[in-house]
Amino acid sequence: MTGTTSDVRVDTDARVMVISIDRPAQRNAMTKAAAERISEALVELDERSDLAVGILTGTGGSFCAGMDLKRFAAGELARVPGRGFGGLTQAPPKKPLIAAVEGWALGGGFELVLACDLVVAGHGARFGLPEAKRGLIAAGGGALRLPRRLPRAVALQALLTGEPISAATAHHHGLVNQLVEDGQALDAARDLARKIAGNAPLAVAAAKRIVVESEDWPSDELFRRQEPITEPVLASADAREGAKAFAERRTPLWTGR
């Protein structure tokens, strides 16, 4: 189902899916149509065995300026039932998703970033949750996820003042994985995605699942709860192939089994 709509472009290459919000004249403000297309693309990402990693980005030098306020005022909600704002915030994919950020990631746009697993950003990128300035609240995951990705005081300042966070500050606190020259975020995200895509798919999926699910596990049950996730990986054909390839000094041939 890859292809183009008026609001979103979806391309696949070398086991990587790139989802590009394509409304540059509106700084990629989110529409219902764009949210639905992103949701469809994420379902495709998870279902296709030939795809390993997704990248979410925006065209024209901006990531996403949040919801289209004109359309919101007219009654349109840029969300998908069960998946949330942008077709992502309530139900991220099982496979890794990288945000490639240039320019502004505001409001719901920042919430899209927070729903991704990894973030690559240009030096000029800015992240903000200005909802309080407009009588709104960051209900698409911003108030929930930001304190888990930044120190509490930093997250509260961003939420309560509505002032943006620079890419350098986000990188300093670990929200941004890689800080690159402006205009290079997508290329750097592709490089990162290829490194992930070269690894065993069962191992990658299990690692993400443990990180996501273990957030609310009791400390005395951590190892017991991870066993049903780790044991199939350790017993897999890919685990045997990885050891064999290492011994034979060759690139592994993963089968996902």
Side-chain angles (χ1 to χ4, degrees), residues 134-154:
R134 296 166 187 158
L136 303 172
I137 189 167
L144 295 170
R145 290 192 172 107
L146 195 60
R148 299 183 180 189
R149 304 286 290 274
L150 293 176
R152 182 176 182 271
V154 177

Side-chain angles (χ1 to χ4, degrees), residues 62-80:
S62 288
F63 182 77
C64 174
M67 64 180 171
D68 189 311
L69 292 178
K70 292 182 180 178
R71 297 199 184 190
F72 173 74
E76 179 181 292
L77 297 177
R79 63 189 186 208
V80 175

Side-chain angles (χ1 to χ4, degrees), residues 6 21-22 29 47 82 101 115 140 159 161 209 230 239 243 246 250:
S6 59
I21 309 168
D22 193 22
E47 290 182 347
V101 184
L159 286 162
T161 67
R209 183 180 169 191
T230 58
F246 177 79
R250 61 174 174 82

Side-chain angles (χ1 to χ4, degrees), residues 1 20 27 30 43 75 82 98 116-117 130 141 148 167 171 179 182 195 206 234 251:
M1 202 169 181
S20 303
R27 292 196 300 177
M30 186 61 58
V43 170
I98 303 169
C116 294
D117 302 296
R148 299 183 180 189
H171 183 255
L179 197 58
D182 290 337
K195 291 176 182 178
L234 297 174
T251 300

Side-chain angles (χ1 to χ4, degrees), residues 16-196:
V16 178
M17 171 182 279
V18 179
I19 305 168
S20 303
I21 309 168
D22 193 22
R23 305 185 73 225
Q26 294 80 28
R27 292 196 300 177
N28 299 320
M30 186 61 58
T31 64
K32 184 173 180 60
E36 290 172 345
R37 184 67 186 95
I38 292 170
S39 175
E40 292 168 357
L42 295 177
V43 170
E44 182 181 355
L45 172 65
D46 275 339
E47 290 182 347
R48 284 179 54 176
S49 60
D50 62 322
L51 294 174
V53 187
I55 298 172
L56 180 64
T57 193
T59 65
S62 288
F63 182 77
C64 174
M67 64 180 171
D68 189 311
L69 292 178
K70 292 182 180 178
R71 297 199 184 190
F72 173 74
E76 179 181 292
L77 297 177
R79 63 189 186 208
V80 175
R83 295 203 76 111
F85 180 82
L88 166 63
T89 57
Q90 290 182 23
K94 295 178 182 178
K95 293 177 181 176
L97 185 62
I98 303 169
V101 184
E102 302 279 1
W104 290 100
L106 288 176
F110 191 10
E111 290 175 318
L112 293 175
V113 173
L114 292 170
C116 294
D117 302 296
L118 303 171
V119 183
V120 178
H123 281 283
R126 294 292 183 270
F127 306 86
L129 294 169
E131 282 83 352
K133 292 177 177 286
R134 296 166 187 158
L136 303 172
I137 189 167
L144 295 170
R145 290 192 172 107
L146 195 60
R148 299 183 180 189
R149 304 286 290 274
L150 293 176
R152 182 176 182 271
V154 177
L156 271 173
Q157 180 170 325
L159 286 162
L160 301 181
T161 67
E163 295 299 317
I165 298 169
S166 70
T169 297
H171 183 255
H172 172 76
H173 291 297
L175 173 60
V176 170
N177 295 82
Q178 294 183 24
L179 197 58
V180 299
E181 295 300 319
D182 290 337
Q184 299 301 310
L186 181 55
D187 286 343
R190 287 183 186 275
D191 289 341
L192 180 58
R194 283 192 285 267
K195 291 176 182 178
I196 297 170

